[in-house]
Amino acid sequence: MKSKLVSLTLVGTMALGGAMLTACSRGSSGGAAAGGSTAAGSPVKGGDLTIARAQDAKSMNNILTFDNSSIFIFEQMLEPLFTVTPDGKDTQPLLAEGFTVSADQKTYTIALKKGITFSSGAEMTSADVKFSIDEDTKHADTGWGFINSAIKTVTAKDKYTVVVELKHAWAPIIADLALFSNAIVPKDYGGKTMEEFYQAPVGTGAYKWGEWKKGQYLKLVANPSYWQKGKPYLSSVTWKVVPDSNTRKLQVQGGQVDINEYPDWSSFKSLGTASNVTAKTFPSTELDYLAFNQNKKPFSDVHVRRAISAMIDREAIVNAVLFGNGTPANSLLMPGVPFYDKSTPGIMKDDALAKSEMAASTVPSGFDTTLLIPSGDASKLSTAQIIQGDLKPYGINVTITPLDPTANHNAQQNMQYEMGLSGWTMDIPDPDEWTQFAVDPAGGAKSAYTNYNSTKAIDLNRAAEAEGDKAKRTEAYSQLQKVTAEEAPFAYLYYAPYAYAFSNKVHGFNVTPLGNYPIMDVWKSN
Amino acid sequence: MLTRLKFVPMRLLQAVPVAFGVTLVVFFLVHLIPGDPAEALLGAQATPERVAALRQQMGLNDPLVQQYWHFLVRLLHGDLGQSYIYQTPVLGLVLERVPATLMLVLYSVVLMLVISIPLAIAAASRPGGVRDHVVRVIPLVGLGMPQFWVGIMLLLIFAVTFGWFPVGGYGETFGEHLWYLFLPALTMAISLSPIIIRSLRASMLTVLESDYVATAKSKGAAGRGLYIGHVLRNAVIPAVSIVGVNVGYLVGGSLVIEQVFAIPGLGSMMIESIFARDFPSVQAVTLFVAVFVVAVGILTDVVYTMLDPRVDLTHRSDV
């Protein structure tokens, strides 16, 4: 009797489960849209915030580490002189009081805030700042130091003043100094080696080092001597590794974690249907695009590139890949980036334009080509299939070539592809990080591996880099966006927002367009 | 009894070339995986110069044979190398992960036996009856359901809806481990039980028809005493082999289950390491799993020998 009961229970369980899953997946709309983390009442002190994420951090070394899983964590401990504004479009002083710039735009004198201490208790001074920036610059080959390429010298003028001298006028310098790799650490790593220091880094941030069980969780605890009085609100923050997206979803719904980082778009809407969970999107700086290898025919022909750009149904891609959570892209720059020009005449789906451009091209009756994508990426595969279908009526037969992600990256870098899908997000609130990479062959990436070489685009980008006047810079970037829309080195596809799901107990959670999230303002209601 | 276990030291010695073979195959196979650890570490936006500098630093430019030789020399000194991802010794990382996987596998075996033995007895005691038919259908259902789906269903029902268990994780104390690992162990047990039930049922039916059971029955043995004392003890021997073989399968299954239930074991480490092209970690995990499977094989033979006095593996030509 008992054995029968066990068996029947199992079958019943499975059937019930199936029914519940179906019910879950049918759910839609709900709280998926706005709201969520806005403050409800006064902030409450204490509590542990748990964030579930697919991948563990790799290293706490802010100079040598490139993955967001690590960056979003060490940013809570290590602060730079300047930081990004909440809208992600500008910088504001953080450890710096402010700065002045010389008439030739080549010397920046930065005043430091006084009385700021590291979590170790030592005071932060200009000597620490000089050490930190020099250390970053020193690691240009293996780390982020390339961001400091315009810096000639950093001098500690007095205890609270730092002078940064540039090799040439360089407008993005303050944004560069706001990058996490330029965060301030104690001089000479407080007497440790670099490797020893980053086992338990010391910074001026709202949180300090706690514990890291690799592959399981990483915990930071509140810095009780944090210089911004009253903050942080939480006692600790724990990033838990939960590789499976379904499990992350269930954990936030079951109240086991507070925040689900990057839920899948396919389950995003249904996540918000749980009464205790808010699913929210935040504007990002992500641009997904189709790259043309201009080393290969017929992609060296601007008419071919323009024609293909006019054939693609971007709305269909947004619906299939992002389940409607995104917008078709019209420009080289993204809406979350300063100087984005909404009125850029980007090429959108236009049958007449596609036909006329094909007729004017070297291959009016079409051709066979390949589209390179990273294997195992369902979003990229869907995008590729839509593009394949869109191009076929015009006589362009596309073979989709999936390659392992790193092999795919290799092929693009070595220009061994014809068309490829790629994307970009920004790390600093200045477009130069991307435009230098994307349109200037001297930027070290063969114009984002397209071999695009346009004198107009290069001149405009270099003018914008050197221009201190904001209005003139705006004009240069608008022109650059117009030129790149016309010359179509890429077919811009879509702008994707960042997705998060969090418990309704979480307040003050904001993600900047750069993707990072300052946790010092976050609190949890009881 | 001890004399019958003489084969154990020889089997342990034989495990050495097996482990060596595994290192050889795994080392060269992981290097065949397309993709570059330096690129995986630096991310998609890395320039070729930075990738080249890191490759040099990681020793990836050395000839493969030389890299393997260095790996073997280090291995003989008990050093499995540095993890590319975490830049810390791999051995420490693996040892941190072993307990979770070991406990998950053992827990699964226990639950599998708890599920299988009563069901097999129930089926074999009335062959052809309703009870037997039900028990023979259930295994088909169990075999047909993918493990990850079963896992998610169990989570949805018992963790989210009823809140009886945590949604993934491993816990801190032994008691918490048992609580956290119940659903994942049950998931693995459900997928393997069908094989054990079928095997046990079949061998029990064979035993039931044997002369000595007829003799026992004629002497008045019946009911629970007959099944436990005479039938099960003899019928369980083939099942022991099947359990032993399937422990290897369970370790493989832990790759999926540890992902679904966010258990920090060797399986999740393996997947994480493959995606990151963290070759030293992949090699270390494979080596540990290989040694574990070999050890289970030896243990299975020990149990087999103890259960059946007629079995003597000392003189087996293939031992």
Side-chain angles (χ1 to χ4, degrees), chain B:
Chain B
M1 174 58 73
L2 279 177
T3 53
R4 285 196 287 118
L5 295 181
K6 271 183 191 164
F7 69 93
V8 173
M10 183 53 75
R11 292 288 300 275
L12 285 174
L13 270 180
Q14 284 171 338
V16 175
V18 170
F20 175 77
V22 167
T23 64
L24 190 74
V25 171
V26 170
F27 186 89
F28 289 98
L29 277 184
V30 293
H31 283 83
L32 283 179
I33 303 173
D36 185 326
E39 276 181 22
L41 206 58
L42 290 174
Q45 295 174 4
T47 60
E49 290 74 25
R50 273 185 282 146
V51 173
L54 190 60
R55 280 184 63 83
Q56 183 67 32
Q57 195 186 317
M58 292 163 92
L60 291 167
N61 291 333
D62 296 337
L64 211 51
V65 176
Q66 194 180 330
Q67 288 184 47
Y68 181 61
W69 175 250
H70 287 153
F71 167 71
L72 278 187
V73 171
R74 281 199 307 264
L75 187 63
L76 288 174
H77 291 87
D79 176 7
L80 287 165
Q82 292 267 114
S83 157
Y84 292 160
I85 316 177
Y86 296 118
Q87 299 293 309
T88 50
V90 168
L91 184 63
L93 293 174
V94 171
L95 289 177
E96 268 183 23
R97 303 292 192 100
V98 166
T101 301
L102 205 59
M103 192 159 171
L104 175 64
V105 169
L106 291 176
Y107 204 173
S108 305
V109 171
V110 170
L111 290 183
M112 183 175 72
L113 296 176
V114 167
I115 294 170
S116 306
I117 293 174
L119 287 179
I121 293 177
S125 61
R126 292 272 191 282
V130 176
R131 200 152 67 177
D132 188 25
H133 283 301
V134 170
V135 173
R136 287 167 73 186
V137 169
I138 300 298
L140 293 177
V141 179
L143 279 174
M145 292 185 296
Q147 268 192 359
F148 72 89
W149 187 82
V150 174
I152 290 170
M153 285 303 105
L154 292 179
L155 277 180
L156 194 60
I157 296 160
F158 297 111
V160 178
T161 308
F162 296 134
W164 294 344
F165 297 97
V167 187
Y170 179 53
E172 298 289 326
T173 61
F174 182 74
E176 277 184 4
H177 296 336
L178 286 179
W179 185 43
Y180 275 74
L181 291 181
F182 180 76
L183 292 181
L186 182 63
T187 308
M188 303 232 285
I190 287 172
S191 71
L192 266 193
S193 294
I195 303 168
I196 308 297
I197 293 169
R198 294 182 83 139
S199 149
L200 205 53
R201 175 189 169 277
S203 51
M204 281 177 82
L205 288 177
T206 311
V207 172
L208 277 168
E209 287 166 9
S210 63
D211 292 343
Y212 65 85
V213 171
T215 311
K217 277 183 180 169
S218 70
K219 287 183 177 174
R224 189 175 293 180
L226 174 74
Y227 280 97
I228 293 174
H230 298 275
V231 181
L232 193 59
R233 186 186 162 97
N234 291 295
V236 87
I237 293 171
V240 167
S241 300
I242 292 174
V243 171
V245 168
N246 280 294
V247 166
Y249 174 83
L250 280 176
V251 176
S254 71
L255 284 175
V256 176
I257 291 304
E258 288 182 8
Q259 285 287 103
V260 172
F261 287 90
I263 299 164
L266 291 176
S268 50
M269 182 174 174
M270 177 70 115
I271 290 180
E272 187 188 326
S273 309
I274 289 172
F275 278 117
R277 303 293 182 275
D278 191 352
F279 296 158
S281 298
V282 176
Q283 285 153 205
V285 173
T286 317
L287 191 62
F288 264 78
V289 170
V291 169
F292 178 71
V293 172
V294 169
V296 169
I298 297 171
L299 196 67
T300 308
D301 284 349
V302 170
V303 174
Y304 210 98
T305 316
M306 287 161 72
L307 280 174
D308 189 348
R310 292 165 301 176
V311 174
D312 182 3
L313 296 176
T314 316
H315 303 296
R316 233 170 71 181
S317 58
D318 62 332
V319 293

Side-chain angles (χ1 to χ4, degrees), chain A residues 82 96-111 157 161-165 173-174:
Chain A
F82 300 90
E97 193 71 55
F99 69 92
T100 56
V101 58
S102 64
D104 65 358
Q105 306 281 319
K106 283 163 69 175
T107 305
Y108 284 71
T109 305
I110 302 166
K157 190 179 166 195
T161 310
V162 177
V163 178
V164 177
E165 211 174 315
I173 186 64
I174 295 299

Side-chain angles (χ1 to χ4, degrees), chain A residues 292-295 302 305 332 415 417 435 437-442 445-458 460 479-490 492:
Chain A
F292 303 111
N293 180 356
Q294 298 183 34
N295 268 359
V302 67
R305 302 196 302 265
L332 177 73
M415 309 295 289
Y417 75 104
T435 56
F437 182 89
V439 305
D440 192 343
K446 301 176 192 113
S447 300
Y449 311 112
T450 61
N451 218 37
Y452 173 55
N453 196 344
S454 158
T455 314
K456 270 195 262 179
I458 295 167
L460 281 166
Q479 286 301 316
L480 177 64
Q481 289 170 82
K482 190 166 173 282
V483 167
T484 48
E486 281 166 3
E487 297 182 345
F490 318 94
Y492 313 118

Side-chain angles (χ1 to χ4, degrees), chain A residues 370-437:
Chain A
T370 56
L371 172 52
L372 186 67
I373 60 165
S375 58
D377 186 331
S379 301
K380 292 275 194 296
L381 181 61
S382 298
T383 307
Q385 285 168 337
I386 291 171
I387 292 173
Q388 187 183 42
D390 287 344
L391 270 53
K392 199 167 175 52
Y394 300 91
I396 304 177
N397 298 311
V398 178
T399 305
I400 298 168
T401 316
L403 269 188
D404 170 86
T406 49
N408 169 79
H409 181 47
N410 241 336
Q412 289 209 16
Q413 282 197 335
N414 296 320
M415 309 295 289
Q416 292 164 342
Y417 75 104
E418 294 181 336
M419 294 194 294
L421 290 179
S422 208
W424 183 273
T425 55
M426 302 289 293
D427 298 286
I428 58 169
D430 192 288
D432 186 65
E433 188 193 10
W434 164 231
T435 56
Q436 189 190 167
F437 182 89

Side-chain angles (χ1 to χ4, degrees), chain A residues 255-482:
Chain A
Q256 199 169 322
V257 302
D258 300 304
I259 297 177
N260 176 6
E261 195 174 85
Y262 302 155
D264 278 355
W265 287 118
S266 58
S267 64
F268 184 66
K269 279 187 179 171
S270 68
L271 251 167
T273 54
S275 59
N276 60 336
V277 176
T278 298
K280 190 177 177 184
T281 59
F282 296 87
S284 87
T285 52
E286 181 177 333
L287 165 67
D288 286 75
Y289 58 86
L290 173 71
F292 303 111
N293 180 356
Q294 298 183 34
N295 268 359
K296 301 212 174 187
K297 283 182 179 173
F299 300 106
S300 46
D301 180 351
V302 67
H303 295 294
V304 171
R305 302 196 302 265
R306 286 174 58 83
I308 291 177
S309 201
M311 292 171 196
I312 299 170
D313 185 351
R314 291 159 178 79
E315 290 285 355
I317 296 175
V318 167
N319 287 332
V321 173
L322 305 175
F323 290 73
N325 294 287
T327 46
N330 65 318
S331 166
L332 177 73
L333 296 187
M334 313 74 158
V337 172
F339 309 112
Y340 165 70
D341 188 345
K342 201 177 173 184
S343 64
T344 298
I347 300 173
M348 294 297 173
K349 186 167 171 58
D350 183 338
D351 186 49
L353 180 65
K355 281 180 179 159
S356 66
E357 290 289 346
M358 276 301 275
S361 79
T362 49
V363 280
S365 52
F367 57 96
D368 292 345
T369 187
T370 56
L371 172 52
L372 186 67
I373 60 165
S375 58
D377 186 331
S379 301
K380 292 275 194 296
L381 181 61
S382 298
T383 307
Q385 285 168 337
I386 291 171
I387 292 173
Q388 187 183 42
D390 287 344
L391 270 53
K392 199 167 175 52
Y394 300 91
I396 304 177
N397 298 311
V398 178
T399 305
I400 298 168
T401 316
L403 269 188
D404 170 86
T406 49
N408 169 79
H409 181 47
N410 241 336
Q412 289 209 16
Q413 282 197 335
N414 296 320
M415 309 295 289
Q416 292 164 342
Y417 75 104
E418 294 181 336
M419 294 194 294
L421 290 179
S422 208
W424 183 273
T425 55
M426 302 289 293
D427 298 286
I428 58 169
D430 192 288
D432 186 65
E433 188 193 10
W434 164 231
T435 56
Q436 189 190 167
F437 182 89
V439 305
D440 192 343
K446 301 176 192 113
S447 300
Y449 311 112
T450 61
N451 218 37
Y452 173 55
N453 196 344
S454 158
T455 314
K456 270 195 262 179
I458 295 167
D459 289 349
L460 281 166
N461 189 51
R462 289 188 185 167
E465 279 171 349
E467 184 55 68
D469 184 287
K470 201 169 179 181
K472 287 181 183 165
R473 241 187 137 202
T474 305
E475 179 53 27
Y477 279 123
S478 283
Q479 286 301 316
L480 177 64
Q481 289 170 82
K482 190 166 173 282

